[in-house]
């Protein structure tokens, strides 16, 4: 390696020193297919770069978070959601001296397996697949990076490190864990994942609870008066209102959201440091052996987050207008699945051939899985185009 490059890498390592309980690439359990090290990047930077260059990542731009992609240009999509999760997760990782590259890779990949049309799409596909092993977006994200991306000459998938894959697999049933080998083992042993994985999971919740408040207000489906019944929101909104009473409501709400995110992030960092201290966490092994997640909000903030979450469920995700979109999404996904299942000749050539080959080897479950993979990969727009094509 040229001396100047080596110096740069050494420099960045020295500047970005890690806590003793952080994941370091020296301890990595590696990749399924071993590859020579990269001269200019860490292993987790490589993972992040592979994720950013993947097809599934680009598709996130056209997949619904809560509001259908074409309903407005300013609503979050799965892509902007993933970027917000990465931003929040990286801030927390840096403050805790964790591995920021690994954290970023997990955050950017965490929703790669999401279907079109948000949760309605995933629920519909799960219903279709219930006799063939079910469908779960979290498992699908892992499936995307392990099998479905076709970019490299020597292997399917992105051949990511164990630590990034572990972070992507946030939860998993015992039944599925038994079939997944080493990556599923922690669900059988009831051990914890790395702190980087734990924090990305919570950064996901910080991001969506707050951006859904913002998008909910933007859409007019929820109001500031309603939100002011929620402790976490009202406290900040009243503070902003008393200092900047002449500002338009919209701007006051945005400042309140900014302050909420800041409070959540600070609480999470402080409480996690307390947990690390109280539980005598010194190494990654201590993290894994810990009975509970080390990364956690303080009890009071946790209950306030739950209150906000319940509010969003009742007033936004179950809103009549969102339900209308969800019913429509269910119709599209369910129709696509059963049409392809009964008439596989309707599948595009590449998927059709794969479906027939897999059916011969793995029977109907494997056949249904190929159809689910095809549907799960669709953007909102492409699902609608396919729906029109085959109906
Ligand atoms: Mg997410």
């Amino acid at each position: 390696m040229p001396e100047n490059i080596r110096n740069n890498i050494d420099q960045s390592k020295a500047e970005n020193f890690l806590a003793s309980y952080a994941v370091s690439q020296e301890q990595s359990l590696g990749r399924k297919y071993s590859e020579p090290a990269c001269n200019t990047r860490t292993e987790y930077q490589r993972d992040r770069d592979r994720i950013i260059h993947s097809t599934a990542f680009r598709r996130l731009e056209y997949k619904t978070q809560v509001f259908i992609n074409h309903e407005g240009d300013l609503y979050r999509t799965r892509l902007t959601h993933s970027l917000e999760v990465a931003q929040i997760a990286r801030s927390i990782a840096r403050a805790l001296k964790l591995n920021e590259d690994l954290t970023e890779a997990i955050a950017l990949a965490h929703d790669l397996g999401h279907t079109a049309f948000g949760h309605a799409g995933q629920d519909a596909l799960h219903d279709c697949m219930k006799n063939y092993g079910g469908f779960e977006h979290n498992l699908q994200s892992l499936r995307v990076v392990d099998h479905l991306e076709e970019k490299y000459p020597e292997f399917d998938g992105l051949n990511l490190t164990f630590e990034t894959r572990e972070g992507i697999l946030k939860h998993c049933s015992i039944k599925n864990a038994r079939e997944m080998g080493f990556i599923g083992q922690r669900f059988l042993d009831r051990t914890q994942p790395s702190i980087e994985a734990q924090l990305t999971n919570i950064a996901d919740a910080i991001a969506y609870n707050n951006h859904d408040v913002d998008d909910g207000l933007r859409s007019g489906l929820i109001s500031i008066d309603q939100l002011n019944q929620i402790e976490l929101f009202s406290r900040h909104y009243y503070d902003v209102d008393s200092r900047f009473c002449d500002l338009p409501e919209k701007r006051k709400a945005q400042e309140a959201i900014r302050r909420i995110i800041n409070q959540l992030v600070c609480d999470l960092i402080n409480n996690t440091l307390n947990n690390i201290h109280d539980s005598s966490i010194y190494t990654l092994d201590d993290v894994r052996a810990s009975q509970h997640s080390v990364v956690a909000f303080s009890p009071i903030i946790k209950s306030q987050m739950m209150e906000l979450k319940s509010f969003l469920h009742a007033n936004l995700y179950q809103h009549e207008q969102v339900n209308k979109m969800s019913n429509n999404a269910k119709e599209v996904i369910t129709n696509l699945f059963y049409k392809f299942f009964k008439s596989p000749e309707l599948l595009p050539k590449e998927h059709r051939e794969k479906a027939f080959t897999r059916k011969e080897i793995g029977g109907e479950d494997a056949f249904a899985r190929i159809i689910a993979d095809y549907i799960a990969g669709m953007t909102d727009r492409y699902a609608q185009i396919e729906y029109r094509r085959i109906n």
Side-chain angles (χ1 to χ4, degrees):
M1 188 193 306
E3 194 61 23
N4 57 342
I5 293 180
R6 183 179 291 284
N7 285 344
N8 276 344
I9 294 174
D10 289 346
Q11 184 74 16
S12 79
K13 266 188 197 160
E15 281 171 7
N16 184 21
F17 70 95
L18 301 173
S20 58
Y21 40 77
V23 171
S24 73
Q25 69 170 11
E26 282 72 27
Q27 299 166 290
S28 175
L29 298 180
R31 304 177 189 277
K32 183 174 178 192
Y33 306 97
S34 69
E35 296 183 55
C38 176
N39 283 348
T40 54
R41 294 170 298 164
T42 68
E43 293 304 318
Y44 305 119
Q45 280 179 293
R46 292 176 90 184
D47 281 0
R48 175 204 58 201
D49 297 348
R50 288 174 185 204
I51 291 157
I52 287 177
H53 289 276
S54 70
T55 308
F57 186 72
R58 284 195 302 283
R59 285 179 177 154
L60 297 178
E61 184 175 2
Y62 301 105
K63 289 188 175 190
T64 287
Q65 180 69 23
V66 173
F67 294 93
I68 290 275
N69 190 241
H70 61 258
E71 282 186 335
D73 290 345
L74 298 178
Y75 295 123
R76 267 67 175 191
T77 65
R78 283 273 157 215
L79 180 64
T80 58
H81 162 70
S82 300
L83 295 175
E84 289 182 35
V85 175
Q87 178 272 311
I88 291 168
R90 284 182 57 193
S91 297
I92 300 166
R94 193 177 295 191
L96 291 171
K97 295 191 168 65
L98 299 178
N99 196 313
E100 200 176 326
D101 295 334
L102 171 61
T103 306
E104 186 180 21
I106 298 169
L108 293 177
H110 86 283
D111 270 351
L112 287 180
H114 237 294
T115 62
F117 311 123
H119 280 277
Q122 115 113 26
D123 293 346
L125 194 51
H126 178 66
D127 280 348
C128 297
M129 286 292 289
K130 65 177 182 291
N131 295 328
Y132 311 105
F135 178 86
E136 210 277 305
H137 71 84
N138 193 228
L139 285 174
Q140 190 70 8
S141 297
L142 190 65
R143 192 165 159 75
V144 166
V145 301
D146 280 358
H147 304 290
L148 299 182
E149 283 289 323
E150 296 176 340
K151 301 189 82 75
Y152 297 91
E154 290 172 296
F155 45 77
D156 283 344
L158 303 178
N159 197 30
L160 303 182
T161 60
F162 174 84
E163 293 73 26
T164 301
R165 296 172 59 238
E166 169 194 55
I168 293 172
L169 192 63
K170 284 190 289 198
H171 36 76
C172 180
S173 68
I174 296 295
K175 181 177 171 287
N176 285 329
R178 284 203 186 101
E179 293 164 8
M180 296 186 74
F182 192 51
I183 194 81
Q185 194 57 39
R186 78 175 166 89
F187 298 96
L188 304 177
D189 298 344
R190 298 184 185 282
T191 54
Q192 305 295 328
S194 68
I195 300 197
E196 287 81 352
Q198 294 178 27
L199 91 83
T200 309
N201 195 13
I202 297 192
D204 185 22
I206 297 176
Y208 68 68
N209 280 307
N210 283 285
H211 66 49
D212 289 351
V213 167
D214 187 30
D215 280 355
L217 286 170
R218 190 184 300 280
S219 68
L221 299 187
I222 54 174
S223 67
I224 288 174
D225 282 350
Q226 280 178 304
L227 279 163
N228 274 334
Q229 293 159 21
I230 305 302
E231 169 84 29
L232 194 58
F233 185 87
S234 64
R235 182 171 61 243
H236 292 288
Y237 190 82
Y238 286 133
D239 274 356
V240 175
D241 192 39
S242 63
R243 266 201 72 191
F244 306 101
C245 60
D246 294 334
L247 274 183
E249 270 196 339
K250 196 174 147 191
R251 203 149 157 187
K252 284 187 234 175
Q254 286 183 345
E255 173 63 11
I257 292 169
R258 193 183 73 79
R259 292 179 182 204
I260 294 170
I261 295 175
N262 188 51
Q263 186 187 12
L264 295 174
V265 165
C266 292
D267 180 85
L268 192 71
I269 292 168
N270 287 332
N271 200 59
T272 300
L273 285 172
N274 288 341
N275 288 346
I276 287 168
H277 177 264
D278 295 348
S279 308
S280 305
I281 303 282
Y282 299 107
T283 66
L284 181 54
D285 286 343
D286 295 339
V287 173
R288 293 192 184 286
S290 172
Q291 286 218 309
H292 304 286
S293 178
V294 175
V295 183
F297 291 119
S298 62
I300 187 153
I301 289 292
K302 189 178 173 189
S303 78
Q304 289 176 5
M305 272 286 271
M306 290 305 292
E307 187 194 17
L308 176 60
K309 201 172 171 170
S310 309
F311 169 85
L312 288 169
H313 268 280
N315 297 285
L316 184 63
Y317 309 144
Q318 301 295 330
H319 192 284
E320 195 186 336
Q321 228 166 297
V322 175
N323 273 339
K324 219 166 107 188
M325 179 277 277
S326 301
N327 291 337
N328 189 28
K330 274 182 195 157
E331 156 65 18
V332 172
I333 297 289
T334 308
N335 178 287
L336 286 174
F337 182 84
Y338 287 110
K339 279 265 162 70
F340 288 135
F341 195 83
K342 283 185 195 133
S343 313
E345 67 279 4
L346 291 171
L347 285 165
K349 186 168 175 276
E350 187 191 334
H351 297 276
R352 184 170 65 230
E353 285 169 359
K354 209 186 247 183
F356 286 134
T357 317
R358 295 287 167 86
K359 191 174 186 176
E360 271 177 32
I361 307 165
E364 282 215 316
D365 282 12
F367 178 69
R369 185 63 56 192
I370 298 299
I371 295 170
D373 286 341
Y374 178 50
I375 295 173
M378 292 178 186
T379 60
D380 292 13
R381 191 169 47 183
Y382 186 71
Q384 281 155 341
I385 291 170
E386 279 293 84
Y387 179 76
R388 284 196 291 273
R389 178 177 74 83
I390 66 172
N391 281 285

